[in-house]
Amino acid sequence: AVAELWPSLSRNQCVNGQVLVQLLWALKDQAGLQLEALAATRALGEMLAVSGCVGATRGFYPQLLLLLVTQLHQLARGVRAPGSPKVWGPSQRGPPPSHASCAVEALKALLAAALLAGDGGRMVVTCMEQAGGWRRLVGAHTHLEGVLLLASAMVAHADHHLRGLFANLLPQLRSPDDAQRLTAMAFFAGLLQSRPTARLLREEVILERLRAWQGDPEPTVRWLGLLGLGHLALDRGK
């Protein structure tokens, strides 16, 4: 019934913008498994499915993309904010499929209908499907592989949107939240495959950051650092 409201709301861009801002705040302020964030994710997916509502997302694409991918990481890790209600039994492994699938569908809608309007967006979605990227994104141990696949698909088919994404992920590289920080790190390493994107920062700044990751006690961070260094080395050889 709620989904039926979007076609009528799509005629009023001012209302669309106000609704989108509220959804953004809900996604930013709530942990990935809280019911408010999940409701906002579902509403966002329904909103993006209506072509008339897509225009309201212009300018918010990078934030929405990072929020949805980070939420998938939080869901995969089973992160739950203090005081938030349990929404599945302790005997179950991982989040309920409906929660993860809700975020995946919203992300697909963003890529195909809004973020990458045209063939580029469809190609990103297709590449992710063919490579098993969506399945990896929802896995507790494969989420970062999914992020890297998404970054590679965007570099190949949607590089004109990478500047905004790169700028938005930089502050998250130092986030105290593991899901935010590691998701941003994976995007950072993956987007270095794009020469124009890599040149948004001085090479010595990028190298300093990646080398610092090499000294991190967490193996995943060291792996991402090596991956980023490899992308820079390949770019030099072109």
Side-chain angles (χ1 to χ4, degrees), residues 193-235:
Q193 296 172 88
S194 165
R195 181 179 298 183
T197 303
R199 289 179 177 173
L200 293 175
L201 290 177
R202 297 196 313 275
E203 184 173 305
E204 55 267 29
V205 173
I206 296 176
L207 286 172
E208 180 182 359
R209 189 180 298 273
L210 294 176
R211 286 167 180 161
W213 294 1
Q214 294 300 291
D216 195 280
E218 189 170 348
T220 299
V221 175
R222 297 198 298 271
W223 166 61
L224 290 172
L226 280 173
L227 192 65
L229 288 170
H231 289 155
L232 282 182
L234 287 173
D235 181 59

Side-chain angles (χ1 to χ4, degrees), residues 74-86:
Q74 292 169 330
L75 286 164
R77 290 162 62 96
V79 176
R80 188 165 59 91
S84 63
K86 284 188 178 181

Side-chain angles (χ1 to χ4, degrees), residues 19 23 47 63 69 124 139 143 197 231:
V19 171
L23 293 178
M47 183 179 184
Q63 298 98 310
V69 176
V124 171
H143 172 80
T197 303
H231 289 155

Side-chain angles (χ1 to χ4, degrees), residues 121-142:
R122 287 190 288 272
M123 284 301 299
V124 171
V125 173
T126 299
C127 286
M128 287 291 285
E129 289 173 349
Q130 292 177 344
W134 304 119
R135 175 175 49 80
R136 285 181 168 85
L137 274 178
V138 301
H141 303 294
T142 60

